[in-house]
Amino acid sequence: MEKELIMILDFGGQYAQLIARLVRQFNVYCEVLPYYTDFEKIKNLSPKGFIFTGGDSDANETDPPTCDPKIYELDIPILGIGYSNHLINEANPIAIIEDPKKNLFTKHDSSIEGTSEGVNCLKDFLYKTCKCSGSWNMESFVEMSIRQLKEKIGGQKVLCALSGGVDSSVAAVMISKAIGKQLTCIFVDHGLLRKNEGDEVEEIFTKQFDVNLIRVNAHERFYNKLSGVTDPERKRKIIGEEFIRVFEEEAKKIGRVDYLVQGTIYPDIIESGVGSGLVKSHHNVGGLPDYVDFKEIIEPLRDLFKDEVRQAGLELGIPENLVFRQPFPGPGLGVRIIGDITPDKVKILQEADYIYRDEIAKAGLDKDISQYFAVLTNLKSVGVKNNERTYDYTVALRAVKTSDFMTAEYVEIPWDVLGEISKRIVNEVDHVNRVCYDITGKPPATIEWE
Ligand code: XMP
């Protein structure tokens, strides 16, 4: 298949990613590059068309950013969106220049809404002006990626830190399909995962995909290190450091590898926009192990948006419950147990959280809520059970809706669903006698309690 590429040149502003999503929804592959990208690089990628996207800031600038003028001599169509019309050489006969005041595209939540005029204009540009065939889809992308990974890696060795999250899982399966047992995945189970999660990850990767998986059951190590620690930041730091240590110890046993896998996705690369060139720094557990001996990082998902990663996961045959798994913080339940962490508290929280998830799924709400989980507060209160006085923990339930996790609203879960969850938790989980529902948005609260 000929690779058809539309190149989006980002002149600043916030539209580049949104336009890129829309272009891909028309089954045309595109990439976002900063406007100052080297001309030779642009030429070598042989795009079928350019889209220039600009932002508010360059409208009145006396010295607006400009790309290499040789681009205009390539005889490749250019579409300008936003305030970028003055960026396009007006003598260029094939440029289609849009009036920015028409508001052809607007941002709504995390998706782009094009007015029908805007959408038609983009569609015509892609199919009629640039003559794209619209043949790009996830199936062909996955196939192509596997082929390219096979060629690139050859007979070499690859190491992957598998967290069980969507990105690392999709990356691992894709690489495993390309090179089989040359890939080793290390899955550090820190004992702060949700109920059954460790076993589920192991089962999927070893039984369904026959991946070379090393599961390290490091519960005790983590619990020992965390014993008596109450400060949230200390807990995070300990979990993060210990994670790297365990990973390194295992990696050392394997010896030198050629590649280390990272589940970086496209927004991580372009989120920070033109100018900064920064890669978003994740506060994930693990980060990059400094002392693992490898030659190069490999990032098989670096061209995909989050929903495309999920599509790729389904294409690869990864079960839906993993592909649509909600975000789970690297330090896991460690930031959902307020105060010190003990194995007993972990067990209580796992059970309560399990019931919560079960009831939310039964009520058919699981796909509508961005993130929901139980928190074990450090608060004990008086209650009665079987005519006896109890003095037990309070569990808090949290459920939020958000498009970017920077701000969030609490979800109005129906009372009867909340009532059933509460009843089950206090009846089925020992040492819990009270359940509360958190009705705070972010800000002022954060999504996690710690
Ligand atoms: P907050 O609590 O900051 O959470 O509103 C925003 C999102 O980030 C997740 N989160 C984390 N993810 N390591 C992670 O990998 C962390 O230490 C961490 N802390 C919060 C949180 O679950 C939510 O989705």
Side-chain angles (χ1 to χ4, degrees):
M1 186 184 72
E2 186 205 352
K3 189 175 171 187
E4 291 179 339
L5 170 74
I6 291 292
M7 186 176 292
I8 297 174
L9 280 193
D10 181 1
F11 286 81
Q14 38 168 313
Y15 277 85
Q17 261 204 69
L18 300 171
I19 299 295
R21 286 294 301 113
L22 204 58
V23 171
R24 290 192 190 181
Q25 277 163 20
F26 281 119
N27 299 97
V28 175
Y29 182 70
C30 63
E31 287 183 16
V32 180
L33 292 171
Y35 68 90
Y36 49 76
T37 303
D38 183 60
F39 176 72
E40 284 307 312
K41 180 174 173 187
I42 291 176
K43 198 170 149 215
N44 289 340
L45 287 167
S46 22
K48 294 196 81 164
F50 289 102
I51 298 176
F52 288 7
T53 61
D56 305 345
S57 61
D58 42 272
N60 302 316
E61 273 177 31
T62 47
D63 189 18
T66 49
C67 57
D68 192 318
K70 289 202 280 297
I71 287 179
Y72 305 122
E73 288 158 23
L74 286 173
D75 217 27
I76 295 174
I78 302 172
L79 173 71
I81 293 175
Y83 291 124
S84 53
N85 45 2
H86 65 279
L87 303 168
I88 300 174
N89 181 339
E90 299 206 4
N92 181 3
I94 42 178
I96 301 172
I97 302 171
E98 281 308 319
D99 176 358
K101 291 183 194 69
K102 277 193 199 155
N103 254 344
L104 295 179
F105 300 95
T106 53
K107 194 181 167 186
H108 177 70
D109 278 340
S110 60
S111 57
I112 181 157
E113 300 255 302
T115 58
S116 59
E117 206 185 348
V119 171
N120 284 336
C121 157
L122 183 64
K123 193 170 162 188
D124 284 350
F125 177 73
L126 298 173
Y127 294 153
K128 293 189 184 152
T129 315
C130 303
K131 305 202 166 40
C132 293
S133 64
S135 56
W136 186 78
N137 59 31
M138 199 40 74
E139 189 187 350
S140 53
F141 180 84
V142 166
E143 256 176 47
M144 182 186 77
S145 303
I146 292 176
R147 203 169 351 103
Q148 286 172 348
L149 285 166
K150 214 179 257 177
E151 273 167 29
K152 181 181 167 97
I153 300 168
Q156 305 180 90
K157 274 166 70 172
V158 182
L159 182 64
C160 173
L162 189 69
S163 69
V166 183
D167 301 342
S168 71
S169 297
V170 174
V173 171
M174 200 181 255
I175 293 183
S176 145
K177 294 236 173 181
I179 56 155
K181 300 275 180 180
Q182 284 159 244
L183 167 72
T184 306
C185 291
I186 298 179
F187 171 47
V188 177
D189 185 344
H190 49 28
L192 298 164
L193 297 171
R194 287 166 290 201
K195 185 179 173 180
N196 299 340
E197 198 163 38
D199 294 343
E200 283 166 15
V201 170
E202 183 174 346
E203 167 104 10
I204 292 170
F205 283 89
T206 55
K207 301 259 162 57
Q208 190 182 338
F209 292 110
D210 196 22
V211 163
N212 219 344
L213 178 86
I214 300 173
R215 175 177 176 180
V216 193
N217 288 321
H219 304 200
E220 281 197 17
R221 258 180 93 149
F222 281 86
Y223 295 160
N224 285 341
K225 283 267 162 160
L226 288 165
S227 170
V229 181
T230 56
D231 176 64
E233 284 314 305
R234 278 266 327 120
K235 288 201 274 187
R236 260 206 175 75
K237 200 153 184 277
I238 290 172
I239 298 169
E241 280 173 8
E242 199 58 15
F243 186 95
I244 293 190
R245 212 153 292 150
V246 175
F247 183 80
E248 281 170 356
E249 280 172 25
E250 289 305 316
K252 267 194 197 118
K253 291 183 198 160
I254 299 169
R256 186 180 159 73
V257 293
D258 301 283
Y259 294 101
L260 185 72
V261 182
Q262 262 214 307
T264 321
I265 68 172
Y266 205 38
D268 298 337
I269 296 167
I270 57 175
E271 199 161 65
S272 24
V274 156
S276 68
L278 276 178
V279 172
K280 184 173 123 193
S281 73
H282 287 276
H283 50 179
N284 264 338
V285 156
L288 245 199
D290 292 336
Y291 307 105
V292 175
D293 193 8
F294 65 94
K295 192 172 71 185
E296 203 182 319
I297 293 208
I298 198 163
E299 297 173 314
L301 311 178
R302 58 177 292 128
D303 292 333
L304 299 183
F305 289 97
K306 190 77 186 187
D307 56 327
E308 293 175 328
V309 172
R310 295 193 210 277
Q311 274 178 48
L314 294 176
E315 206 58 62
L316 288 161
I318 301 176
E320 277 205 18
N321 63 348
L322 202 165
V323 165
F324 291 99
R325 181 164 282 179
Q326 43 171 328
F328 186 62
L333 303 183
V335 292
R336 295 179 183 170
I337 294 172
I338 314 305
D340 68 325
I341 296 169
T342 65
D344 288 343
K345 286 184 180 174
V346 173
K347 185 99 180 80
I348 293 171
L349 182 57
Q350 280 177 334
E351 294 301 327
D353 185 70
Y354 185 79
I355 292 170
Y356 185 23
R357 284 189 290 137
D358 187 39
E359 290 297 327
I360 289 289
K362 271 196 213 152
L365 296 170
D366 49 337
K367 292 249 164 75
D368 295 335
I369 304 178
S370 313
Q371 200 174 4
Y372 56 101
F373 52 85
V375 174
L376 186 63
T377 74
N378 212 13
L379 179 79
K380 282 188 166 186
S381 70
V382 177
V384 255
K385 198 173 189 179
N386 303 328
N387 287 330
E388 292 203 10
R389 180 188 183 277
T390 58
Y391 189 60
D392 278 329
Y393 287 111
T394 301
V395 161
L397 306 175
R398 183 95 168 116
V400 295
K401 214 167 161 60
T402 172
S403 55
D404 56 8
F405 295 89
M406 307 290 279
T407 60
E409 287 165 29
Y410 68 87
V411 177
E412 293 188 25
I413 297 178
W415 283 114
D416 56 334
V417 178
L418 281 174
E420 186 59 28
I421 296 164
S422 167
K423 204 158 71 191
R424 279 194 61 194
I425 291 178
V426 289
N427 282 336
E428 297 174 33
V429 186
D430 285 344
H431 306 297
V432 178
N433 65 359
R434 201 176 288 270
V435 177
C436 296
Y437 186 57
D438 181 349
I439 49 166
T440 332
K442 172 183 177 176
T446 50
I447 296 174
E448 302 289 346
W449 274 39
E450 282 195 339

